[in-house]
Amino acid sequence: MYRLYYNPGSANLAPHMLLKELGVPHELVLVDQPGGGHLRPEYLKLNPNGRIPTLIDGDLVLYETAAICLHLVDRHPGAGFAPAVGTNERAEFYKWLFYLANTLHAELITYFYPHRLTDDAAATAQVKTHAEARVGAMLDLIEEHLAKRGGGYLLGERFSAADPYLFMLSRWTRMMDNPARNRPRLSRFQQTMLARPAVKAAFDAEGLGEPFV
């Protein structure tokens, strides 16, 4: 049985939705992030970065959201949540997964935690404003890709493990001035994801309510 350490709605949501899609036994372990649970010694022994999520798979302790998603794909190849290794389609899958992890996710962290980049309290708002603008440009790029690719998912008609990641990050923009839902293809993508039973099950398990996106 997998064990996923989580905080509701945090970066654990993508692998959590993937676990639900796979239909495999798993246990959720709540980490009280607002209360500093992610910095307690018992959690730092698992994830010395003090970040969420962490996945336990037998003797394996794994962190980093994209790494967890790729591990689940490799553990369950029969589910078909990634194209075959060595194909152009697999390379496309890697491209989007790492774009989400290294580019969009990283910029969203700057948006949510601008104080990490400056000791000047007055500059914090400016850092956040610039981050939001860069996030908007990234969402525009994804919107354009979805329009060209068609099919509703990042890889077209095919659902992949990159889609829960995109859905999680797009959901995080819901309080921005120009959230993902303002873009027609991304809005359709979000509604398609919300209609998946596994997504609803993950939201219910984490106690996530409106506004979903």
Side-chain angles (χ1 to χ4, degrees):
M1 177 182 289
Y2 296 107
R3 183 179 302 128
L4 181 67
Y5 288 79
Y6 82 106
N7 178 69
S10 294
N12 46 265
L13 185 57
H16 187 190
M17 288 186 285
L18 193 52
L19 286 166
K20 294 294 189 187
E21 292 281 356
L22 289 166
V24 293
H26 59 277
E27 174 189 2
L28 294 177
V29 181
L30 178 64
V31 179
D32 179 18
Q33 190 173 25
H38 60 303
L39 299 177
R40 291 174 184 158
E42 57 270 26
Y43 187 72
L44 291 174
K45 286 180 181 178
L46 298 174
N47 188 335
N49 300 292
R51 295 182 178 180
I52 298 168
T54 300
L55 181 79
I56 308 296
D57 178 10
D59 294 331
L60 175 68
V61 180
L62 189 62
Y63 44 83
E64 294 298 321
T65 300
I68 293 171
C69 290
L70 281 174
H71 176 65
L72 293 174
V73 163
D74 292 341
R75 277 284 198 228
H76 305 277
F81 290 160
V85 174
T87 62
N88 289 349
E89 291 78 12
R90 181 76 171 209
E92 183 85 355
F93 167 73
Y94 287 147
K95 180 187 78 174
W96 283 113
L97 187 63
F98 287 103
Y99 181 82
L100 295 172
N102 295 340
T103 305
L104 180 55
H105 193 158
E107 198 63 61
L108 281 163
I109 293 300
T110 299
Y111 170 81
F112 285 116
Y113 302 100
H115 57 278
R116 294 178 179 176
L117 298 183
T118 178
D119 293 327
D120 182 359
T124 301
Q126 188 176 33
V127 170
K128 187 167 186 172
T129 296
H130 287 316
E132 183 169 354
R134 289 191 294 271
V135 167
M138 294 168 194
L139 294 174
D140 289 342
L141 185 150
I142 295 170
E143 174 77 4
E144 182 179 356
H145 166 75
L146 290 173
K148 288 181 178 177
R149 191 65 190 257
Y153 294 113
L154 272 172
L155 301 186
E157 296 288 347
R158 177 178 186 165
F159 172 87
S160 76
D163 293 307
Y165 208 144
L166 173 57
F167 180 58
M168 177 185 75
L169 298 182
S170 72
R171 179 178 182 273
W172 289 357
T173 71
R174 66 193 182 279
M175 306 306 287
M176 290 183 173
D177 290 337
N178 187 19
R181 66 177 180 270
N182 285 0
R183 296 160 178 83
R185 277 84 179 182
L186 271 165
S187 179
R188 185 179 71 173
F189 166 80
Q190 290 178 323
Q191 294 307 312
T192 298
M193 291 294 294
L194 281 170
R196 296 181 71 91
V199 172
K200 183 180 186 305
F203 273 52
D204 288 346
E206 295 194 17
L208 302 178
E210 296 278 8
F212 294 130
V213 295

